[in-house]
Amino acid sequence: MAGPDIRMSVGLTHPEEKQRDSTEKGSHDEQGHRMPVRASNHVGKLSALFEGVDTSVPAGVGEQEIRQVACDSRKVQPRALFFALHGAKADGNAFLRDAVSRGAVAIASEDAAPAAMPPSVAWIRVREARKALAIAAANFFGHPAKALQLVAVTGTNGKTTTTSLIDAIIKASGAKTGLFGTIAYHTPLGDYPAPNTTPESVDLQGFLAEIRDAGGRFAVLEASSHSLAMDRLWGCQFAAAVFTNLTREHMDYHKTFEDYFAAKLRLFEGTGAGAPDSAVINTDDEYGSRLAGLAKNAVSYGLQPGAQLTTKKFQLTFSGLAFAAQTPNGKIEIESPLVGRINVYNILAAIGAAQALGLSNEVIASGVRNLKSVSGRFQPIAMGQPFLVVVDYAHTDDALENLIRTARELNPKGRILTLFGCGGEKDRTKRPVMGEVAGRLSDLTILSSDNPKSEDPLKIISDIVVGLQKTNGKYIIEPDREKAIGLAIDEARAGDILLLAGKGHENYQILGDRTLEFDDREVARKALRDRGFDGLESGPGFGT
């Protein structure tokens, strides 16, 4: 068994620190970031906002004018209705004074009103606050989801690329649309940062209203297990729901794999507005078969026999993909700049969703061809060096295995070097599994940090090493990610592929209570320039 080459530094190298508040008051997300306050000219009567909610508005206050619905006390503006939610790390009821001081005139909570609540503030007690928030937000914005065809994509891996493909296809039809996911939120009016994979319900309803009011007819979103468990999509009816796959992830939140699957299942059972019109299901995944029959219509996709959306053979090159997709609506000749076998699955899923929306095969082929890359998904960093550097978001064992196998399939004669770490304050059980995957499939693994937060980076790495030592894989430990990237570039030889995995599009590193500017792509470019490489970048994109 190969021993480690441990190269450590006492401290971590910090690029310029970017100050960012990492705590939420009453409304928590997966990353600890906040949505900016967005202006709204919507106005509603308090009683009207609770139509469809199992509660009663106190007598005499129902006609109050409400100008905002909020669940973060820091965003509250005058004449707001504030929902005090029980969060993962804090309780919104602890921030009532802050909300009232900022202008909240009504509070909704699962708890009874505190004795100190001013009599001028209306208190509405609800049973399920998150569902009530989603309903009130939809009422406030005039039920924008009813004016749009919604598509949701759920699964462990593939959501970002699949939604990006569907978005590109819709745009190829000439229609206006919105896209919401891990990388960013997009509407016809502009782009917004994405603090969550799926927006909080009140933010989502505001975005959907923005799309509707701009003449849009579609919205495509990633439906995370967190969002489904937290009822962020409650009240939304989907024209199409896509299931990509299910592998180990978020066990710190869901506790068991069945709980994780149950969260995904909610999308297909219906999120308070009936089952989706169509389900597009990866039946190569064992969990896909358990979703059959839930939607009004279902189409299967995959590469195994029996799938309705499939292909018999495909060409995989560094320049992209080419294959003939067999679909219920006929054959589609696909050419895509995206790279790797996993993107055959993503493209088949997008075809199924697009056909559910009634889009033509010609529009589908055009849209797939138009999507040149997805940020941080098998994104090449080419500065004239004689080896390939690839940045990818793979941060689960399945995604990491797909990433390394893709690199090996594209480059069977060269070495594969894999740099990754695991997030702090998250599921520890996946760390040794990821280590075993990297050690088994890579020629060299470089272990480093990936948002360790309050955990000791070396303890996280030790968890990874437990799995890696089950293999004969060689590995190096360097907890400082910037130094680790430079070290990995020094180790690379002509013809190798160096994979920088885990962060992808992210432009930050969370160390303790600080969020620092850090982008694998920029750090790799700088490291290459420092070593004399300064050529023009070019190359394909890839998604996981």
Side-chain angles (χ1 to χ4, degrees):
M1 184 176 293
D5 178 1
I6 302 178
R7 309 180 191 180
M8 301 183 191
S9 59
V10 176
L12 297 176
T13 300
H14 304 315
E16 180 182 354
E17 182 167 348
K18 180 178 181 180
Q19 298 297 329
R20 184 184 292 162
D21 190 348
S22 61
T23 60
E24 277 290 335
K25 295 184 179 179
S27 176
H28 293 266
D29 54 48
E30 293 114 348
Q31 297 176 353
H33 305 162
R34 289 198 282 159
M35 277 291 300
V37 178
R38 294 163 55 245
S40 170
N41 57 3
H42 293 267
V43 178
K45 300 296 184 182
L46 182 61
S47 59
L49 299 188
F50 285 94
E51 290 180 4
V53 177
D54 185 13
T55 189
S56 58
V57 177
V61 299
E63 293 301 304
Q64 278 204 65
E65 185 179 82
I66 299 297
R67 294 186 172 273
Q68 182 199 31
V69 178
C71 59
D72 182 337
S73 64
R74 295 167 297 183
K75 297 181 184 178
V76 167
Q77 297 174 345
R79 305 215 61 81
L81 164 61
F82 174 67
F83 276 78
L85 305 179
H86 294 293
K89 296 180 180 179
D91 186 345
N93 290 277
F95 303 100
L96 299 177
R97 179 177 296 179
D98 185 36
V100 171
S101 70
R102 294 173 186 265
V105 294
I107 307 291
S109 173
E110 294 174 2
D111 298 350
M117 180 57 53
S120 59
V121 177
W123 188 272
I124 298 92
R125 194 169 186 182
V126 295
R127 292 185 179 181
E128 296 179 277
R130 290 189 178 275
K131 287 180 181 177
L133 170 63
I135 295 169
N139 288 336
F140 182 73
F141 287 105
H143 297 278
K146 293 182 178 180
L148 305 172
Q149 286 188 279
L150 305 182
V151 179
V153 179
T154 198
T156 307
N157 301 308
K159 296 188 296 295
T160 300
T161 300
T162 302
T163 53
S164 296
L165 283 160
I166 298 167
D167 178 73
I169 293 168
I170 293 171
K171 287 176 178 174
S173 76
K176 294 180 179 179
T177 185
L179 176 63
F180 306 97
T182 305
I183 297 175
Y185 303 155
H186 308 280
T187 78
L189 299 187
D191 300 339
Y192 304 88
N196 307 322
T197 296
T198 313
E200 181 57 77
S201 60
V202 66
D203 295 318
L204 177 62
Q205 293 295 332
F207 285 129
L208 296 181
E210 196 168 287
I211 298 168
R212 174 198 62 196
D213 296 345
R217 296 189 292 115
F218 301 92
V220 184
L221 59 90
E222 297 180 43
S224 70
S225 59
H226 290 77
S227 71
L228 290 163
M230 294 179 182
D231 293 314
R232 292 179 190 162
L233 303 180
W234 192 256
C236 293
Q237 206 280 328
F238 291 93
V242 178
F243 173 77
T244 59
N245 49 64
L246 199 73
T247 60
R248 177 174 292 274
E249 175 73 324
H250 302 309
M251 290 301 101
D252 54 319
Y253 180 81
H254 296 289
K255 306 307 178 187
T256 71
F257 202 78
E258 280 301 312
D259 286 346
Y260 181 37
F261 176 67
K264 302 292 190 184
L265 185 64
R266 287 189 177 196
L267 177 63
F268 298 88
E269 292 175 330
T271 50
D277 293 335
S278 297
V280 183
I281 300 170
N282 176 9
T283 49
D284 286 1
D285 186 284
E286 61 177 309
Y287 283 87
S289 60
R290 294 173 61 177
L291 299 173
L294 292 177
K296 300 168 188 175
N297 300 289
V299 60
S300 61
Y301 75 92
L303 300 179
Q304 300 300 317
Q308 295 166 279
L309 267 162
T310 190
T311 184
K312 302 301 181 185
K313 60 181 180 179
F314 44 86
Q315 294 180 330
L316 303 178
T317 71
F318 281 111
S319 299
L321 293 166
F323 62 90
Q326 310 296 326
T327 86
N329 293 353
K331 185 170 69 173
I332 305 177
E333 294 294 339
I334 293 295
E335 293 181 359
S336 170
L338 304 183
V339 176
R341 181 183 300 265
I342 188 64
N343 273 316
V344 177
Y345 281 93
N346 293 335
I347 291 169
L348 291 174
I351 292 172
Q355 289 186 339
L357 296 176
L359 300 175
S360 71
N361 289 354
E362 291 75 20
V363 165
I364 291 171
S366 177
V368 171
R369 188 168 54 247
N370 289 346
L371 184 66
K372 303 304 181 186
S373 65
V374 180
S375 180
R377 273 62 177 172
F378 210 95
Q379 185 171 346
I381 307 298
M383 306 283 288
Q385 75 276 11
F387 51 88
L388 181 63
V389 178
V390 172
V391 172
D392 193 87
Y393 191 54
H395 61 283
T396 68
D397 55 287
D398 182 65
L400 189 64
E401 181 160 348
N402 284 332
L403 173 64
I404 300 171
R405 288 192 181 280
T406 294
R408 186 74 70 187
E409 195 168 16
L410 292 170
N411 190 37
K413 295 182 180 180
R415 296 189 309 158
I416 307 299
L417 285 62
T418 304
L419 184 153
F420 79 101
C422 288
E425 301 177 15
K426 290 191 174 184
D427 180 19
R428 289 185 60 185
T429 63
K430 75 174 184 178
R431 295 172 185 174
V433 182
M434 292 183 69
E436 188 171 355
V437 166
R440 175 166 45 88
L441 299 177
S442 305
D443 296 287
L444 175 65
T445 300
I446 301 94
L447 299 177
S448 193
S449 299
D450 184 351
N451 298 330
K453 299 183 179 177
S454 64
E455 284 197 66
D456 181 347
L458 287 176
K459 288 185 178 180
I460 296 173
I461 290 171
S462 294
D463 289 341
I464 300 171
V465 168
V466 170
L468 207 154
Q469 288 183 334
K470 294 179 181 179
T471 73
N472 291 319
K474 298 178 181 179
Y475 62 98
I476 296 171
I477 294 174
E478 173 48 75
D480 184 316
R481 194 171 179 100
E482 183 174 13
K483 290 184 178 180
I485 289 173
L487 185 157
I489 287 172
D490 289 337
E491 292 282 346
R493 302 196 294 256
D496 291 349
I497 296 181
L498 168 58
L499 304 172
L500 307 181
K503 298 191 74 63
H505 64 280
E506 291 181 352
N507 59 3
Y508 58 88
Q509 179 86 299
I510 304 175
L511 303 174
D513 59 357
R514 295 182 296 173
T515 300
L516 316 175
E517 287 187 350
F518 193 100
D519 188 320
D520 275 0
R521 297 162 295 187
E522 293 304 319
V523 172
R525 290 182 185 114
K526 181 180 184 302
L528 288 167
R529 281 194 297 268
D530 289 347
R531 287 156 178 80
F533 301 110
D534 201 11
L536 295 176
E537 290 199 63
S538 63
F542 169 86
T544 58

